C-alpha cells in the first residue's frame, strides 16, 4: 500500500490508499486505493471529490486505483460553515455518491460477492449553541440500489429480478448539558447531560459506500453525568426490526 499527501492551507490532495466520506448511510469512511481532493471555496465553503476502486487492492496492477470504471466509487460533497467566528457552530454537508462493483473480492477476503450498483445523495447538519451546551447532528439519505444479473451466481436458474428502488435512511442525535461543571462540595463539580438518538432505515435500503442494517428503527434516551471521580449513566433503548412486516423474517 502507499499514500501520498499534498496540502497547502485548506487545500488537500491524497493519492493511494485513501479514506473518504462522512455521511453515515451514504458513504462513511470508505477506504480503498484512489484519489481524493478537498478544495476551499472562499473562507466558509469547501468542495471534496473522491474516485476510488470498488474494493481494497494491493500490488502494482491498477496502481492509481481508478482505471476500472465498472468497479469504482465516485463521490462529491459540498460543505459550508455558517459562522466563521465560531467553527462548528453550524456546518452543513451535501453529498452525492455513485458506486458500481463487479463480483470481485477484497484483498484477503473469503466470501462470494455479487455485482452491485447504487446511486444516492444525502444531507447532514452538525452544530452547537448556548456556549456548546446544546449539540446536535441530523442527516437524511436517499439511495437507489440494484443487483445486476450475474450468470455465474444464477447458474441458469430462474431467479426473481431485484427492482431498482429509492429508499430513505435518517438519523438524529441531540445532547444538552442540563448541569455544566457546577461546584457542589469540596471543589467537586457536577455535570449532567441528556442525549436522544433516533435512526430509521427503510426496508431494502442499501448503499455500496456504507455498512448499514436496513429495515429497522431505533430510539434511545440517555442521561450521563459525573461528580468528581464518579460517573453514572441511565439509558433506555427501543429497537424494532422488520419494519416491512415480511412474513419470512422472524
Amino acid at each position: 500500500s502507499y499514500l501520498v499527501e499534498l496540502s497547502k492551507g485548506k487545500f488537500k490532495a491524497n493519492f493511494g490508499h485513501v479514506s473518504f466520506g462522512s455521511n453515515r448511510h451514504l458513504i462513511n469512511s470508505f477506504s480503498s486505493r484512489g484519489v481524493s481532493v478537498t478544495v476551499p471555496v472562499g473562507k466558509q465553503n469547501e468542495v471534496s471529490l473522491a474516485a476510488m476502486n470498488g474494493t481494497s487492492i494491493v500490488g502494482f496492477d491498477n496502481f492509481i486505483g481508478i482505471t476500472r470504471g465498472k468497479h469504482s466509487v465516485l463521490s462529491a460533497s459540498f460543505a459550508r460553515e455558517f459562522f466563521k467566528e465560531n467553527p462548528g457552530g453550524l456546518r452543513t454537508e451535501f453529498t452525492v455518491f455513485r458506486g458500481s462493483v463487479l463480483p470481485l473480492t477484497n484483498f484477503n477476503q473469503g466470501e462470494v460477492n455479487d455485482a452491485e450498483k447504487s446511486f444516492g445523495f444525502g444531507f447532514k447538519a452538525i452544530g452547537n449553541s448556548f456556549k456548546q451546551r446544546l449539540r446536535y447532528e441530523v442527516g437524511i439519505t436517499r439511495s437507489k440500489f440494484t443487483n445486476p444479473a450475474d450468470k455465474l451466481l444464477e447458474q441458469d436458474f430462474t431467479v426473481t429480478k431485484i427492482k431498482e428502488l429509492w429508499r430513505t435512511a435518517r438519523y438524529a442525535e441531540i445532547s444538552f448539558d442540563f448541569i455544566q461543571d457546577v461546584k457542589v462540595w469540596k471543589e467537586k463539580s457536577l455535570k449532567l447531560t441528556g442525549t436522544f438518538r433516533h435512526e430509521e432505515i427503510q426496508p431494502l435500503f442499501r448503499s455500496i459506500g456504507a455498512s448499514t442494517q436496513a429495515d429497522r428503527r431505533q430510539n434511545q434516551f440517555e442521561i450521563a453525568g459525573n461528580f468528581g471521580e464518579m460517573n453514572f449513566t441511565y439509558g433506555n433503548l427501543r429497537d424494532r426490526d422488520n419494519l416491512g412486516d415480511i412474513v419470512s423474517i422472524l
Side-chain angles (χ1 to χ4, degrees):
S1 66
Y2 73 96
L3 176 63
V4 179
E5 298 180 319
L6 304 174
S7 64
K8 183 177 181 181
K10 293 184 178 181
F11 172 84
K12 298 179 182 179
N14 295 328
F15 307 88
H17 285 73
V18 300
S19 179
F20 185 85
S22 60
N23 187 292
R24 180 182 299 189
H25 298 126
L26 189 64
I27 176 170
N28 188 15
S29 299
F30 186 88
S31 298
S32 186
R33 184 182 293 179
V35 179
S36 67
V37 179
T38 300
V39 181
V41 181
K43 295 182 179 181
Q44 296 172 253
N45 307 316
E46 67 180 28
V47 175
S48 300
L49 306 170
M52 294 179 283
N53 193 65
T55 52
S56 178
I57 54 177
V58 297
F60 293 93
D61 294 337
N62 195 3
F63 187 75
I64 300 177
I66 55 176
T67 58
R68 181 175 285 180
K70 292 184 179 180
H71 192 69
S72 64
V73 298
L74 304 173
S75 185
S77 66
F78 174 80
R80 176 175 175 81
E81 286 278 359
F82 280 82
F83 307 111
K84 60 182 180 180
E85 68 280 359
N86 179 27
L90 176 59
R91 177 184 173 90
T92 60
E93 295 182 16
F94 179 78
T95 304
V96 179
F97 172 82
R98 183 205 69 87
S100 175
V101 294
L102 299 172
L104 303 174
T105 57
N106 289 339
F107 171 71
N108 201 29
Q109 178 188 17
E111 67 178 48
V112 178
N113 284 350
D114 195 8
E116 298 177 339
K117 292 182 179 180
S118 72
F119 172 78
F121 54 89
F123 172 82
K124 78 170 188 177
I126 305 173
N128 63 76
S129 59
F130 303 109
K131 297 181 180 180
Q132 298 189 358
R133 296 188 69 171
L134 175 66
R135 301 170 297 280
Y136 57 88
E137 178 176 345
V138 297
I140 186 169
T141 298
R142 291 277 288 171
S143 180
K144 181 176 68 173
F145 175 80
T146 184
N147 280 119
D150 188 339
K151 294 182 179 180
L152 184 62
L153 286 179
E154 295 173 3
Q155 298 183 11
D156 297 326
F157 287 99
T158 301
V159 298
T160 301
K161 293 184 178 180
I162 297 178
K163 299 179 180 179
E164 292 187 357
L165 297 173
W166 284 97
R167 288 293 182 260
T168 302
R170 67 174 186 257
Y171 73 95
E173 182 172 332
I174 304 172
S175 297
F176 184 75
D177 295 334
F178 295 101
I179 301 176
Q180 191 174 50
D181 297 328
V182 175
K183 292 183 179 180
V184 178
W185 178 70
K186 292 185 178 180
E187 303 300 324
K188 303 293 184 181
S189 297
L190 175 65
K191 183 178 180 180
L192 189 65
T193 302
T195 302
F196 174 76
R197 299 182 181 92
H198 166 80
E199 183 177 34
E200 180 173 325
I201 307 175
Q202 288 186 343
L204 302 180
F205 178 92
R206 174 88 167 92
S207 174
I208 294 174
S211 298
T212 58
Q213 185 174 351
D215 200 16
R216 69 182 307 176
R217 179 191 301 122
Q218 282 189 340
N219 289 300
Q220 181 179 7
F221 176 73
E222 179 181 280
I223 294 178
N226 59 71
F227 178 65
E229 292 77 23
M230 294 187 299
N231 299 305
F232 51 91
T233 304
Y234 171 80
N236 179 272
L237 170 65
R238 290 179 176 268
D239 179 32
R240 181 189 174 185
D241 57 10
N242 194 18
L243 300 177
D245 291 326
I246 299 174
V247 178
S248 61
I249 298 179
L250 296 178

